Amino acid sequence: MFYGLIGEKLSHSFSKEIHSMIGDYGYRLIEIPKENLKAFFEKREFNGINVTIPYKTSIMQYLDCVDSSAKKIGSVNTVVNKGGKLYGYNTDYYGLLETAKHFNIDFCGKEVAVLGTGGTSKTAYAVSKELGAKEIYKVSRTKKENALSYEEFCISKNPEIIINTTPIGMYPETDCTALDIKPFSRLWGVIDCVYNPLNTKLVLHAKENGINAVGGLYMLISQAVHSAKLFGVIKSTADITESIYKKILKLKQNIVLCGMPSCGKSTVGELLAKELNRTFIDTDTAVSKNENMQIKDIINTKGEAYFRSAEEKTVKEISLVNGNVIALGGGTVLKNENVLRLKQNGKIYFIDRPLEFLTPTSDRPLSSNKSALNKLYCERYGIYKSVADKTVSLNGTPEDFANLIKEDFLK
């Protein structure tokens, strides 16, 4: 008998770590193919489980009793075994409700679009209604009786809030996005129920346009805490969600360092990684390893365009991972696609070291002399400032920079 999470694919899941912070009750991750789902429930060899994609609706047929609110929603994500009888609940409801309130996304009197028609979409509809939405549109890949197709939706509607309940944009397909938000002139709130990556492209595009947007991490943690209460392993949910949210966010978020060549990104990064017990990744070193050639030789023999392409491929790979310290090459952030990918799981710091303290070196072909370095500084300084979440400016040692970044990141 155990507690755990069931789903079809769980390699992306944070649930085990979250539940281990709630308490020590041996929470497991269990991948179950569709054809084995019935047998799993017939055995009833669990104390309590959470349920994720794509089983939140289909498992209801195997339960002895479904909570009235979950039945009304039409989706179950928590099952408790009580003396051999299986009881179903929907704690996603509390997770989404508390996310909207925590991040000040006010539904009252608003037009809301729910992307997707699976189990989580039913929860999103119920929460939107509870919070006073004026009108709620369901949007599906194909036209259905109670849902608009994406094409119809984009042409005919102009929502104020969008909730993505589809897996589009979820790890590892993080370059995908559910839709382009540009046509929606009244949009001011976005909730994406995807939590890995921490910020999907939908969320990042919304933030770029000044829209209040949030991913699904807070929702995931809140529903987990409410599930634990139903399991009987905790008595109250008060204050637990916020505490675990802060811990998980810091645990999963990458520290990303950008700045001019010779500003000390690698040295500062190594210090931070050691201090925070994290893996350190240098993108130049990673590109060099992937290409089996030094950076200066790649640029000198194959050209800068080839190097930038190899660099983009490397950034795409490392941006998928969580909880690392990443030092970028000086020109990595010149490509917006690199910045978006890095911000999906990371916080970008600009190490702003004064120009007079930067040193040209022969192993950096684009800044091998003082004149070239000065030119790069003028071209790039504004870009570093604009893409960074935080600028760290001082005339100090690498230890000074590392301490300031650590202090900001952990606050």
Side-chain angles (χ1 to χ4, degrees):
M1 303 294 286
F2 60 89
Y3 297 96
L5 170 70
I6 67 165
E8 194 170 31
K9 295 179 181 178
L10 300 177
S11 59
H12 67 286
S13 178
F14 296 171
S15 291
K16 187 173 181 178
E17 291 163 284
I18 292 168
H19 280 273
S20 70
M21 291 183 181
I22 298 172
D24 182 14
Y25 41 93
Y27 196 88
R28 305 179 191 174
L29 302 181
I30 305 154
E31 293 186 346
I32 302 177
K34 289 186 175 91
E35 60 270 21
N36 295 345
L37 195 62
K38 182 180 179 182
F40 174 83
F41 279 94
E42 285 177 345
K43 290 180 180 178
R44 306 185 177 216
E45 295 176 343
F46 58 85
N47 291 315
I49 55 168
N50 291 122
V51 183
T52 191
I53 296 172
Y55 301 138
K56 293 182 181 182
T57 300
S58 59
I59 62 127
M60 294 175 71
Q61 62 186 303
Y62 306 124
L63 308 181
D64 299 296
C65 182
V66 176
D67 176 72
S68 59
S69 60
K71 188 179 292 184
K72 186 176 180 181
I73 292 169
S75 173
V76 164
N77 80 306
T78 302
V79 180
V80 182
N81 188 339
K82 300 180 181 180
K85 287 194 174 185
L86 303 183
Y87 291 75
Y89 305 89
N90 189 311
T91 63
D92 279 341
Y93 178 86
Y94 300 103
L96 186 52
L97 188 72
E98 291 176 5
T99 295
K101 292 178 178 179
H102 183 80
F103 292 96
N104 300 313
I105 299 179
D106 181 11
F107 283 64
C108 189
K110 304 295 192 302
E111 291 184 28
V112 179
V114 177
L115 309 184
T117 53
T120 307
S121 75
K122 300 176 192 299
T123 304
Y125 188 93
V127 169
S128 300
K129 193 172 180 180
E130 170 68 21
L131 291 175
K134 179 175 70 176
E135 195 162 0
I136 308 166
Y137 311 115
K138 293 181 180 179
V139 187
S140 174
R141 286 176 297 177
T142 56
K143 182 175 174 57
K144 297 181 179 179
E145 185 179 345
N146 63 343
L148 300 167
S149 68
Y150 277 87
E151 184 178 4
E152 288 175 318
F153 168 65
C154 291
I155 292 172
S156 64
K157 303 301 179 184
N158 193 7
E160 294 158 279
I161 296 173
I162 289 176
I163 307 174
N164 177 43
T165 70
T166 77
I168 298 173
M170 184 172 72
Y171 174 92
E173 305 298 331
T174 59
D175 278 345
C176 301
T177 187
L179 84 174
D180 181 3
I181 63 169
K182 290 178 184 176
F184 307 117
S185 60
R186 299 194 304 154
L187 186 65
W188 70 271
V190 170
I191 299 175
D192 196 328
C193 296
V194 171
Y195 60 85
N196 186 1
L198 300 172
N199 296 292
T200 61
K201 280 199 169 180
L202 177 64
V203 169
L204 290 173
H205 286 157
K207 288 180 176 180
E208 281 184 332
N209 287 277
I211 296 166
N212 186 6
V214 63
L217 183 61
Y218 196 91
M219 175 181 172
L220 175 72
I221 294 168
S222 176
Q223 68 79 25
V225 171
H226 282 276
S227 294
K229 185 179 179 182
L230 289 170
F231 294 160
V233 296
I234 59 172
K235 293 182 179 180
S236 170
T237 62
D239 302 323
I240 299 177
T241 297
E242 180 67 15
S243 172
I244 295 178
Y245 174 71
K246 289 178 179 178
K247 291 177 183 177
I248 291 289
L249 183 61
K250 296 307 179 189
L251 182 68
K252 296 296 182 181
Q253 198 170 36
N254 295 317
I255 298 173
V256 184
L257 309 178
C258 75
M260 283 290 293
S262 79
C263 73
K265 297 183 296 288
S266 295
T267 303
V268 172
E270 288 175 341
L271 288 168
L272 280 167
K274 184 177 181 181
E275 183 72 19
L276 298 172
N277 193 28
R278 293 179 170 225
T279 298
F280 173 68
I281 300 173
D282 184 295
T283 58
D284 278 350
T285 301
V287 171
S288 181
K289 184 178 179 181
N290 289 342
E291 296 293 319
N292 196 28
M293 188 183 296
Q294 294 298 311
I295 299 298
K296 65 176 182 178
D297 295 327
I298 296 173
I299 294 175
N300 289 335
T301 61
K302 298 186 177 183
E304 185 183 357
Y306 180 91
F307 166 67
R308 293 302 176 200
S309 177
E311 181 180 58
E312 184 178 359
K313 181 181 177 182
T314 299
V315 167
K316 185 175 180 179
E317 293 171 354
I318 66 174
S319 64
L320 293 174
V321 298
N322 298 104
N324 295 328
V325 177
I326 302 168
L328 304 178
T332 306
V333 298
L334 300 180
K335 190 173 182 62
N336 190 53
E337 197 63 26
N338 288 338
V339 176
L340 282 174
R341 285 171 176 153
L342 290 161
K343 286 195 173 188
Q344 287 187 318
N345 282 316
K347 184 173 183 178
I348 299 181
Y349 289 87
F350 168 33
I351 297 181
D352 182 14
R353 187 179 288 279
L355 177 59
E356 59 267 29
F357 293 99
L358 303 178
T359 307
T361 57
S362 59
D363 64 340
R364 296 185 176 96
L366 302 180
S367 58
S368 57
N369 58 65
K370 197 68 176 176
S371 176
L373 188 65
N374 290 352
K375 183 173 182 292
L376 279 184
Y377 186 86
C378 293
E379 291 172 349
R380 294 179 178 178
Y381 186 83
I383 296 173
Y384 292 140
K385 290 280 288 186
S386 67
V387 303
D389 298 296
K390 179 78 174 183
T391 296
V392 183
S393 304
L394 75 156
N395 176 19
T397 66
E399 288 79 9
D400 293 332
F401 276 101
N403 287 333
L404 280 176
I405 293 170
K406 177 186 171 184
E407 181 181 336
D408 177 80
F409 184 76
L410 295 179
K411 70 181 181 183

